[in-house]
Amino acid sequence: KSKEDRHIYITFAQNHFESDIRQNTLEQDLSYAQKKNELEVYYQPKLNIQKNVYNFEALLRWNHPKFGMILPNEFIPIAERNQSITSIGRWVLKQVCKDFQAFQEINKNISIAVNISPVQLNDPRFVQQIKEAVLEYSIEPKAIELEITENDLLNLDSAQKQFEELSYEGFSIVLDDFGTSYSSLNYLKELSVQKIKIDKSFIMNMDYYQKDYQIVQMIIKLAKNLDLEVTAEGVEKWKHIEMLSKMDCTEIQGYYLSKPLPLQDMLEKLKDNTMN
Ligand code: C2E
Ligand code: CA
Ligand code: CA
Ligand code: CA
């Protein structure tokens, strides 16, 4: 090997080594994060274009004492692997129920979406816990949306029953990241859902790429024919909003409206009406 090749190899190995160390550290620290109050729920608005009201999605953040803020794409997969997502998910749900009242004081009709990992569905107490949480805080189930990511961790058989019961109770079930899994259409066919959320990978460049535009248009048409609501995430430009409202999209979400913010900041923005 040339000297340069060796250098490249060593750098590569080092980077892998470092990221393994970080992963292991995070996995250990995550078991204390909840107790040490390091987890925080941020909120991002979603604008219902037809009703002209803002709803919100709860997005988890981890304020790590050493690494600073860590985003969920890094630690949720770890939590899914070691099952701690079950207790983290329960904490998020409880936090959202606590925060809900502050939103409702500003607007009675607000709903909040919570992300649910498919791994949480493996817990037989899952449905019961959600029902108890909203009961404890006197929240109507229809004000809570449950966003479930369609990926290979999602077990159709167990999801089917739980979605049916949750829909019956009045919760709104959303198929998240729609279009990104190998079996999107099969999930749509087999599961009882009220809404689909088109993944941002299709939205972000739909003003450049005819293919993306056509796919988005097709998904919105499909949703409409199935009498489902449809959200577009990753809306970063006015142009996207223009295109999406022509296509009869129900709801939009993205940096164009606002990034996810801590509770107090989001409440102020909502009160002052300073969203885009
Ligand atoms: P997601 O549910 O698909 O959420 C959308 C992600 O896209 C969020 O990233 C959001 O901040 C980001 N985003 C929103 N608008 C835009 C935009 O206009 N442009 C771009 N480039 N990005 C945008 P975030 O907050 O880092 O969350 C990542 C993923 O982590 C979420 O993807 C969700 O799958 C998962 N997640 C977040 N919170 C929770 C949670 O409490 N429980 C579980 N199980 N998963 C969570
Ligand atoms: Ca989501
Ligand atoms: Ca997504
Ligand atoms: Ca996702």
Side-chain angles (χ1 to χ4, degrees), residues 176-177 197-200 233:
D176 207 349
D177 292 357
K197 190 184 257 194
I198 309 174
D199 193 63
K200 57 177 180 288
E233 72 172 16

Side-chain angles (χ1 to χ4, degrees), residues 72-274:
N73 281 336
E74 189 173 7
F75 67 88
I76 295 284
I78 299 176
E80 286 177 331
R81 246 180 287 130
N82 72 12
Q83 305 292 320
S84 60
I85 189 66
T86 307
S87 91
I88 292 175
R90 231 180 292 136
W91 181 86
V92 171
L93 188 68
K94 191 129 201 184
Q95 197 57 46
V96 166
C97 288
K98 282 184 192 162
D99 295 346
F100 185 81
Q101 204 187 348
F103 282 105
Q104 238 200 352
E105 278 166 12
I106 304 173
N107 182 340
K108 279 200 317 309
N109 298 316
I110 276 173
S111 70
I112 297 186
V114 185
N115 287 288
I116 306 290
S117 159
V119 175
Q120 291 175 256
L121 303 182
N122 297 337
D123 181 354
R125 291 162 302 178
F126 174 71
V127 172
Q128 192 54 34
Q129 276 163 0
I130 294 192
K131 282 162 54 176
E132 281 168 14
V134 295
L135 203 64
E136 185 185 342
Y137 290 89
S138 312
I139 299 169
E140 282 184 85
K142 73 169 183 356
I144 301 290
E145 293 186 331
L146 305 169
E147 298 194 358
I148 323 252
T149 308
E150 49 161 53
N151 66 25
D152 49 9
L153 296 172
L154 187 60
N155 175 297
L156 263 185
D157 286 337
S158 73
Q160 243 161 358
K161 280 201 219 89
Q162 297 176 76
F163 285 15
E164 257 162 45
E165 185 174 351
L166 289 166
S167 312
Y168 175 81
E169 292 293 325
F171 294 95
S172 177
I173 315 263
V174 186
L175 207 46
D176 207 349
D177 292 357
F178 186 78
T180 59
S181 91
Y182 295 112
S183 32
S184 292
L185 296 177
N186 200 41
Y187 288 135
L188 190 58
K189 173 175 147 71
E190 299 296 340
L191 295 172
S192 132
V193 303
Q194 283 75 45
K195 189 188 264 193
I196 53 184
K197 190 184 257 194
I198 309 174
D199 193 63
K200 57 177 180 288
S201 57
F202 298 106
I203 306 291
M204 285 164 58
N205 303 309
M206 65 185 282
D207 50 333
Y208 278 107
Y209 296 116
Q210 180 64 7
K211 240 188 193 173
D212 295 13
Y213 178 88
Q214 289 298 337
I215 290 170
V216 170
Q217 192 173 44
M218 180 217 48
I219 298 176
I220 293 173
K221 219 178 238 166
L222 177 64
K224 206 177 171 161
N225 290 345
L226 294 174
D227 216 6
L228 299 175
E229 289 180 86
V230 59
T231 307
E233 72 172 16
V235 170
E236 295 185 346
K237 300 174 187 169
W238 172 245
K239 183 86 188 136
H240 294 155
I241 300 185
E242 243 176 13
M243 292 173 122
L244 288 162
S245 34
K246 276 196 198 121
M247 295 179 193
D248 263 337
C249 184
T250 332
E251 191 175 58
I252 54 169
Q253 175 178 18
Y255 293 166
Y256 185 84
L257 296 173
S258 166
K259 291 196 173 186
L261 294 174
L263 174 69
Q264 289 310 327
D265 297 353
M266 189 45 77
L267 289 172
E268 258 157 54
K269 229 175 157 166
L270 182 63
K271 263 189 237 156
D272 302 345
N273 211 352
T274 48

